[in-house]
Amino acid sequence: MKILVCITHVPDTTSKIQFTDNNTKFDTTGVQFIIGPYDDYALARAVELRDQTGGKLTVLNVGLAESDPTLRKALAIGADEAIRVNAEPKDSFFVASQIAHYAKEGGYDLILMGRESIDFNGGMVHGMVGEILGMPSFSPVMKLDVEGSTVKMAREIEGGKEMLEATLPLIAGCQEPIAEWKIPNMRGIMSARTKPLNVVEPVAVEDMTVPQSYQLPAPKGACRMIPSSEAETLIKLLQTEAKVL
């Protein structure tokens, strides 16, 4: 089975976010980048499936050279080879188009990725790739098992979960608890140095969105404590100041 896992190169969740050039560009100064947490779940499950069924596991990222350490980490976790589409990930449609173009050439049986990235949280790429390739896409998938050409999944829905069955090939946007994150061991780190990391040029895609500016959320206000004996005061403040009642 040929498995493709698409990963994102995103700021660590503890990073301090700033913008430059009049709030039109993200300031990467001092920011540590990681594999997207949801992509980490997809990669962990893909490693398990590859080990169970055999075949080949490829990781793909749409990004510039700064993404190479992130891809090397994915190789250390267990991927067999890495592909970097040499382009800045402009928006969801651009990224999906690059993934779809490469995946179509590769003839993959299973394409996994996180349910969303943690930078823009769009949650659209898996569906777009499915539409472009004419393949079924499911998200958010919290359990995935492969039996021959049949895939059995559990998908989170409002108020519960949905059990699904589909046939390969397909695309899944993954989340916990599909698998446990895998930490690279020393053997994996050493072997990652010699595994192939190939860079391919992007295909031309029309710009669908052009960001005008970015804005940080409003800073948190001071916390005001109201004694339990002053319930009327609390209600009044919620009505007049917080305006939530």
Side-chain angles (χ1 to χ4, degrees):
M1 182 167 64
K2 296 183 66 176
I3 305 174
L4 178 66
V5 177
C6 306
I7 64 173
T8 53
H9 173 74
V10 295
D12 188 280
T13 53
T14 61
S15 298
K16 185 177 181 180
I17 304 301
Q18 299 290 342
F19 301 104
T20 61
D21 295 348
N22 198 27
N23 291 329
T24 60
K25 292 183 180 179
F26 173 55
D27 185 1
T28 61
T29 305
V31 175
Q32 181 179 354
F33 285 82
I34 60 172
I35 300 174
Y38 294 116
D39 305 325
D40 247 335
Y41 287 115
L43 177 58
R45 185 60 184 139
V47 170
E48 294 172 349
L49 290 171
R50 189 274 318 275
D51 292 346
Q52 292 169 9
T53 64
K56 189 174 184 179
L57 169 55
T58 302
V59 289
L60 180 147
N61 169 261
V62 179
L64 302 176
E66 295 81 6
S67 300
D68 286 353
T70 299
L71 285 166
R72 286 292 178 196
K73 181 179 179 181
L75 291 171
I77 288 172
D80 299 307
E81 67 172 1
I83 303 295
R84 178 169 62 81
V85 180
N86 190 33
E88 184 176 351
K90 299 177 181 178
D91 60 23
S92 296
F93 181 72
F94 179 85
V95 172
S97 298
Q98 305 305 324
I99 294 172
H101 177 77
Y102 182 81
K104 184 176 181 180
E105 297 293 324
Y108 292 92
D109 301 296
L110 181 62
I111 302 175
L112 301 180
M113 61 188 77
R115 74 174 195 187
E116 62 185 6
S117 64
I118 63 164
D119 46 9
F120 290 96
N121 300 97
M124 297 183 286
V125 172
H126 37 73
M128 290 180 174
V129 174
E131 179 66 21
I132 295 170
L133 294 178
M135 292 170 58
S137 174
F138 304 90
S139 183
V141 176
M142 40 198 305
K143 182 180 180 181
L144 187 148
D145 294 308
V146 178
E147 299 176 4
S149 62
T150 301
V151 181
K152 296 181 178 181
M153 295 169 282
R155 187 172 73 93
E156 185 177 31
I157 59 174
E158 186 175 356
K161 61 181 180 180
E162 179 181 35
M163 309 306 293
L164 300 168
E165 191 171 299
T167 303
L168 295 173
L170 60 79
I171 301 164
C174 305
Q175 69 167 42
E176 72 284 358
I178 194 168
E180 292 186 5
W181 285 346
K182 297 186 182 299
I183 300 174
N185 55 32
M186 185 55 66
R187 181 179 179 182
I189 294 171
M190 296 300 292
S191 66
R193 298 178 180 179
T194 59
K195 290 180 179 179
L197 194 167
N198 299 313
V199 180
V200 300
E201 293 305 312
V203 294
V205 177
E206 179 184 358
D207 289 339
M208 303 297 285
T209 59
V210 179
Q212 298 298 310
S213 66
Y214 297 99
Q215 185 176 1
L216 292 171
K220 294 182 179 179
C223 180
R224 183 175 177 183
M225 304 298 292
I226 306 296
S228 59
S229 59
E230 300 180 16
E232 292 185 1
T233 301
L234 174 60
I235 294 172
K236 185 177 180 180
L237 290 172
L238 291 173
Q239 292 174 330
T240 59
E241 294 189 12
K243 300 185 186 303
V244 295
L245 294 180

